[in-house]
Amino acid sequence: MAKKRPQTKAKRPQLSDAEIPVVGAREPCPCGSGRRYKACHGRAAAHAVTELVHRPFEGLPGEGDWVALRELVPAATVELPLKDGLPEGVPSVTLATVLPMAWPALRRDDGSVLLGLQNDTSSGDISRDLADTLQRALTAEPGTPVQGRRAPADGPRMQDLLDPEGAFEPVVHSGFEFWVPDPENATPEVTASLERANAAAIPTVKLTGVDGAYWCQTPEKNHLRWVMPYPEEQLLDALARLHAAGRSSLGEGTRLVGSFRAHGLTVPVWDLPSGVTAEDVEKPAAEFAERLTAALASEAPLTADERRARGGLTNRQVTLS
């Protein structure tokens, strides 16, 4: 009787970690190991999510503006200078707050690249996720969007790809028309996405006299939201000193009401009367910046009134990220 020949299984093609898609925790891992996803590559993905980088934009020019465009500004664009220059066939790289259909990135027909900033990311390092998306967009076929994925843990960050000496100069738009250079040929899906985005956009203006400050208009009142690069505890002490001394406002009818905490930076917020425009607040903001600089330099212990003011500011602080 002839012996049975041993059977061998065909080897499955090996996937890199970055190519393994995310599936349900109890489903078989797409890598072919035979284990459940949560016990295989899902374990690394879960660990990456918990490894949060608290200041993902630290070291980039305009860190405060990166935070503002990520969390506060509806429609804005920034030209990004790459450290090694633009690749052949890529006339420009532009960071945008939001892209149509919530695409992470888009390679336009002319080869230019749009990179979306306000998308959800799959790891705890927004900078690494953005860099991975940007690199794939630079080599994508013109006229195609780039989908999100989990970035390789050892991949570059935006700090590695961008020119550290390059300017970061946001242009705030009243709507999202920058999405469609040729509106007549836009697809119905993009047109519908544009209409929805424009309807939800809050009028926003970037102040020119100070860094990281953005005026916005809401139906009830206007606001100034100012991303500040100082250590949080030092900044809260300085704000408390000014608040207790009655010097924290930006003019008649304005009031410092609290702050956000976003991506490792603190964002004080002022309520403004509905009639106060961005232009109206330019001079008061510049004057406040001078008062704040002096308060930041003080090393004196807080007085009782200043401690109470600090407690009030801290109680009204909200963490966005």
Side-chain angles (χ1 to χ4, degrees):
M1 187 173 178
K3 293 183 178 180
K4 292 185 178 179
R5 297 179 64 181
Q7 296 181 350
T8 59
K9 293 183 179 180
K11 290 185 177 181
R12 298 185 58 166
Q14 296 297 309
L15 300 176
S16 69
D17 288 351
E19 294 174 321
I20 296 171
V22 177
V23 297
R26 295 180 178 275
E27 295 182 41
C29 186
C31 75
S33 65
R35 290 181 291 173
R36 289 180 177 177
Y37 179 67
K38 70 176 183 178
C40 192
H41 280 83
R43 179 182 298 167
H47 178 70
V49 170
T50 61
E51 291 295 310
L52 179 65
V53 176
H54 291 280
R55 284 185 66 176
F57 308 117
E58 185 177 13
L60 289 170
E63 181 187 5
D65 289 314
W66 278 90
V67 172
L69 267 57
R70 168 75 183 182
E71 298 294 341
L72 307 174
V73 181
T77 55
V78 189
E79 294 294 315
L80 295 181
L82 302 187
K83 182 180 295 184
D84 297 325
L86 295 171
E88 185 177 356
V90 180
S92 64
V93 173
T94 302
L95 182 74
T97 48
V98 182
L99 295 181
M101 316 298 293
W103 289 324
L106 171 66
R107 182 88 185 272
R108 281 179 160 165
D109 292 334
D110 66 355
S112 61
V113 168
L114 287 176
L115 178 66
L117 180 58
Q118 293 184 9
N119 297 77
D120 292 334
T121 56
S122 56
S123 81
D125 187 352
I126 297 170
S127 179
R128 196 178 308 281
D129 289 329
L130 285 170
D132 178 68
T133 301
L134 174 56
Q135 285 191 311
R136 291 185 292 122
L138 292 172
T139 58
E141 287 294 322
T144 59
V146 175
Q147 302 301 329
R149 72 171 187 181
R150 186 173 66 251
D154 59 351
R157 307 176 73 237
M158 292 299 284
Q159 288 84 343
D160 302 315
L161 301 184
L162 299 185
D163 182 354
E165 303 299 324
F168 190 82
E169 300 176 350
V171 177
V172 179
H173 304 276
S174 59
F176 295 87
E177 282 72 21
F178 64 87
W179 284 355
V180 278
D182 186 8
E184 294 183 359
N185 293 322
T187 65
E189 292 82 3
V190 170
T191 300
S193 183
L194 173 62
E195 292 175 352
R196 289 193 299 270
N198 280 343
I202 296 173
T204 301
V205 177
K206 175 176 167 54
L207 297 195
T208 60
V210 294
D211 294 331
Y214 290 80
W215 170 96
C216 68
Q217 181 182 45
T218 63
E220 296 80 20
K221 62 186 70 175
N222 300 339
H223 306 278
L224 183 73
R225 299 178 290 190
W226 193 340
V227 187
M228 295 186 171
Y230 311 108
E232 181 178 4
E233 296 303 313
Q234 181 187 9
L235 176 58
L236 288 174
D237 282 353
L239 292 173
R241 296 181 197 278
L242 295 176
H243 202 58
R247 306 183 70 206
S248 65
S249 79
L250 299 175
E252 184 178 355
T254 70
R255 186 166 66 99
L256 175 63
V257 293
S259 63
F260 298 117
R261 184 190 292 115
H263 305 294
L265 297 184
T266 302
V267 189
V269 178
W270 284 262
D271 279 352
L272 312 173
S274 57
V276 173
T277 67
E279 184 177 359
D280 294 333
V281 84
E282 285 277 9
K283 183 178 178 182
E287 293 171 345
F288 177 85
E290 294 180 0
R291 298 197 297 273
L292 180 64
T293 298
L296 287 166
S298 175
E299 297 180 356
L302 296 181
T303 66
D305 287 343
E306 290 168 349
R307 288 197 299 271
R308 282 192 291 271
R310 193 185 195 283
L313 292 172
T314 303
N315 290 338
R316 296 192 296 273
Q317 191 173 50
V318 177
T319 300
L320 296 182
S321 58

